[in-house]
Amino acid sequence: MRIKEIAAAAKKASIKLAAAETELKNKALQEIAINLGNCKDKIIVANKADLERSEKEGLALPLLKRLRFDESKIQDVIEGIQSLINLPDPVGQTLDSTEMDGGLELYKVSCPIGVIGVIFESRPDALVQISTLCLKSGNSVLLKGGSEARETNKTLAEIIVEAAEKAGLPPGWLQLLETRTDVNDMLKLDQYIDLIIPRGSNDFVRYIMDNSRIAVLGHADGICHCYVHKNADLDLAVKVVVDSKTQYAAACNTTETLLVDKEIAPQFLPLVKEALEEKHVELVGCSKTLSVIDITPASEEDWKTEYLDYKLSIRIVEQLDEAVEHINTYGSGHTDAIITENKNAVAAFMSLVDSGSVFWNCSTRFSDGFRYGLGAEVGISTNKIHARGPVGLEGLLIYKYLLAGSGQTVEEYANRVKRFTHKKLHKNFNL
């Protein structure tokens, strides 16, 4: 099927899916969870083929880790689907209501975006998360995963489509694209596709933006920071930094740069160096850092790099303002954390750091749609319109205005026969 026909089918399905009852969507999600469990052996075989081929092709170790989709990860996505089922239906919620005049009531009501194109990296679990989030929010979805995961993605898509259509969802709501040519063709189909979500590097996101008239929800690099303030609890700081860097080094919310206040550096850096080296983390640092601990010098490029591996750059800063300036200069607007017992420093950091998620005394790895209770995520947005940070159900919705009248005409108001009241109603839209 040509890409235009695929997109047209997805558009047609999106109209029906937008009006689907909560019960139907949850039934489809339950069928998907069951089918994934029943077909886990088939999924693992497909994933093994992808892993073996990718290893022979020299795929980098961090990407191989992302590609692995074993029984544990299958169980994780099934649990994520169960969590999604338990969430309230986000579609049809009254966001605001206003009496324009007696008998003339305006309602702002949530609704699906329509057709969403998602281009994502070598994580098969992302396919399950994205497709089920789109289902719950009433959107059709066109998916293009990394070529290294093609067998796993194909198997997962077939399992999901089979289960959803068994439950009664319209055919065509989920489509899997296979080639880069498909992606380039998709970028031209603004008459069918309403939003594109690219997950990848800044250069990749910029390419998508420059080559499409479709709205783009950008997921840029994950250059995340931990800033250890002079009033930090040292043991807590070590614990948080180690988790932020090593809990899963290949994730986009992993800390890539550690900033340390000069007053606490002599005490803190030897402690954190020992803890990180136990986890086999390669450390590079600025000249001030090298005067405190024996590590490799950092280059200017290190501050701009998302390692996605067991490597961390370290910089000593004079004070909070310098830490904020570094983050806003080199960061990607993803997730940044301050570690301190000083609430004034927390307030300043959280208001000045220009990122989608800003944390206090906790790991940057918490920046995740599932952990936020959003029902997993389609990605992390560093945009400043529509959705920012982890994009879950809410980020896949827009709204429409519903106006209920009783024969009113504009002429009556233009001629001052009637006047608007514009009173807040605080009530839901009901027929």
Side-chain angles (χ1 to χ4, degrees), residues 268-312:
F268 175 70
L269 285 176
L271 296 175
V272 78
K273 176 179 184 285
E274 181 181 1
L276 288 167
E277 288 183 341
E278 284 180 4
K279 297 283 189 176
H280 309 290
V281 178
E282 177 189 352
L283 302 176
V284 298
C286 68
S287 58
K288 292 179 181 178
T289 301
L290 269 60
S291 69
V292 179
I293 54 176
D294 183 19
I295 59 175
T296 304
S299 67
E300 175 69 13
E301 195 62 29
D302 282 306
W303 313 125
K304 308 173 186 176
T305 301
E306 182 183 21
Y307 299 120
L308 297 174
D309 205 349
Y310 287 88
K311 184 175 180 179
L312 180 71

Side-chain angles (χ1 to χ4, degrees), residues 288-353:
K288 292 179 181 178
T289 301
L290 269 60
S291 69
V292 179
I293 54 176
D294 183 19
I295 59 175
T296 304
S299 67
E300 175 69 13
E301 195 62 29
D302 282 306
W303 313 125
K304 308 173 186 176
T305 301
E306 182 183 21
Y307 299 120
L308 297 174
D309 205 349
Y310 287 88
K311 184 175 180 179
L312 180 71
S313 56
I314 304 174
R315 179 180 176 185
I316 292 177
V317 294
E318 293 290 318
Q319 56 190 359
L320 185 143
D321 286 349
E322 187 178 342
V324 169
E325 183 179 0
H326 179 101
I327 291 169
N328 289 339
T329 300
Y330 295 102
S332 58
H334 192 298
T335 302
D336 301 288
I338 183 172
I339 304 168
T340 185
E341 301 303 306
N342 186 322
K343 291 186 178 180
N344 290 331
V346 174
F349 187 86
M350 288 190 158
S351 62
L352 293 171
V353 169

Side-chain angles (χ1 to χ4, degrees), residues 112-131:
I113 289 173
V115 179
I116 300 175
V118 186
I119 309 158
F120 59 100
E121 70 288 11
S122 56
R123 283 179 50 203
D125 52 332
L127 185 146
V128 182
Q129 292 171 355
I130 293 164
S131 58

Side-chain angles (χ1 to χ4, degrees), residues 38-103:
N38 291 341
C39 298
K40 64 182 180 182
D41 291 342
K42 182 179 179 181
I43 296 167
I44 291 169
V45 168
N47 187 244
K48 184 179 179 182
D50 284 331
L51 285 167
E52 289 176 351
R53 184 190 65 256
S54 296
E55 195 167 3
K56 288 177 182 176
E57 292 173 354
L59 188 68
L61 183 59
L63 295 179
L64 281 172
K65 289 180 180 178
R66 286 188 172 198
L67 177 57
R68 186 174 300 280
F69 198 59
D70 53 19
E71 188 167 349
S72 174
K73 287 193 175 181
I74 294 171
Q75 187 57 40
D76 286 344
V77 297
I78 290 173
E79 289 176 7
I81 294 171
Q82 295 297 340
S83 174
L84 195 55
I85 291 170
N86 293 331
L87 291 176
D89 193 333
V91 178
Q93 299 296 316
T94 299
L95 307 175
D96 197 10
S97 56
T98 303
E99 178 198 86
M100 292 175 63
D101 194 3

Side-chain angles (χ1 to χ4, degrees), residues 354-371:
D354 188 18
S355 297
S357 293
V358 186
F359 295 170
W360 170 32
N361 283 353
C362 55
S363 171
T364 58
R365 288 280 292 120
F366 281 108
S367 181
D368 174 84
F370 176 74
R371 297 186 182 111

Side-chain angles (χ1 to χ4, degrees), residues 111 217 298 389 394:
C111 64
L217 192 66
E394 184 180 346

Side-chain angles (χ1 to χ4, degrees), residues 142-385:
L142 306 181
L143 294 162
K144 173 62 175 74
S147 59
E148 59 275 16
R150 62 176 179 261
E151 297 302 326
T152 315
N153 287 340
K154 182 180 178 182
T155 301
L156 289 171
E158 289 171 352
I159 290 168
I160 291 169
V161 167
E162 178 186 48
E165 292 188 4
K166 177 184 176 183
L169 256 60
W173 74 275
L174 184 152
Q175 306 272 3
L176 186 64
L177 309 184
E178 296 183 356
T179 68
R180 290 185 180 181
T181 301
D182 287 343
V183 173
N184 287 328
D185 290 343
M186 179 178 71
L187 299 181
K188 303 168 187 174
L189 298 177
D190 52 295
Q191 71 269 43
Y192 299 114
I193 301 170
D194 300 290
L195 179 69
I196 292 180
I197 304 177
R199 294 168 51 142
S201 68
N202 275 315
D203 288 344
F204 173 67
V205 174
R206 176 56 56 191
Y207 172 82
I208 299 296
M209 290 178 173
D210 289 345
N211 288 275
S212 182
R213 292 184 297 185
I214 303 169
V216 177
L217 192 66
H219 171 201
D221 289 336
I223 303 176
C224 304
H225 301 77
C226 278
Y227 167 48
V228 181
H229 183 254
K230 63 184 179 181
N231 299 130
D233 177 298
L234 295 185
D235 291 337
L236 184 150
V238 170
K239 178 182 176 182
V240 170
V241 170
V242 170
D243 187 85
S244 296
K245 179 68 255 183
T246 67
Q247 197 276 327
Y248 183 50
C252 63
N253 53 18
T254 293
T255 290
E256 305 293 19
T257 296
L258 171 63
L259 303 174
V260 182
D261 194 291
K262 69 172 185 177
E263 289 189 32
I264 205 171
Q267 296 79 38
F268 175 70
L269 285 176
L271 296 175
V272 78
K273 176 179 184 285
E274 181 181 1
L276 288 167
E277 288 183 341
E278 284 180 4
K279 297 283 189 176
H280 309 290
V281 178
E282 177 189 352
L283 302 176
V284 298
C286 68
S287 58
K288 292 179 181 178
T289 301
L290 269 60
S291 69
V292 179
I293 54 176
D294 183 19
I295 59 175
T296 304
S299 67
E300 175 69 13
E301 195 62 29
D302 282 306
W303 313 125
K304 308 173 186 176
T305 301
E306 182 183 21
Y307 299 120
L308 297 174
D309 205 349
Y310 287 88
K311 184 175 180 179
L312 180 71
S313 56
I314 304 174
R315 179 180 176 185
I316 292 177
V317 294
E318 293 290 318
Q319 56 190 359
L320 185 143
D321 286 349
E322 187 178 342
V324 169
E325 183 179 0
H326 179 101
I327 291 169
N328 289 339
T329 300
Y330 295 102
S332 58
H334 192 298
T335 302
D336 301 288
I338 183 172
I339 304 168
T340 185
E341 301 303 306
N342 186 322
K343 291 186 178 180
N344 290 331
V346 174
F349 187 86
M350 288 190 158
S351 62
L352 293 171
V353 169
D354 188 18
S355 297
S357 293
V358 186
F359 295 170
W360 170 32
N361 283 353
C362 55
S363 171
T364 58
R365 288 280 292 120
F366 281 108
S367 181
D368 174 84
F370 176 74
R371 297 186 182 111
Y372 280 15
L374 305 179
E377 68 185 30
V378 294
I380 303 281
S381 171
T382 51
N383 285 14
K384 294 186 181 180
I385 56 172

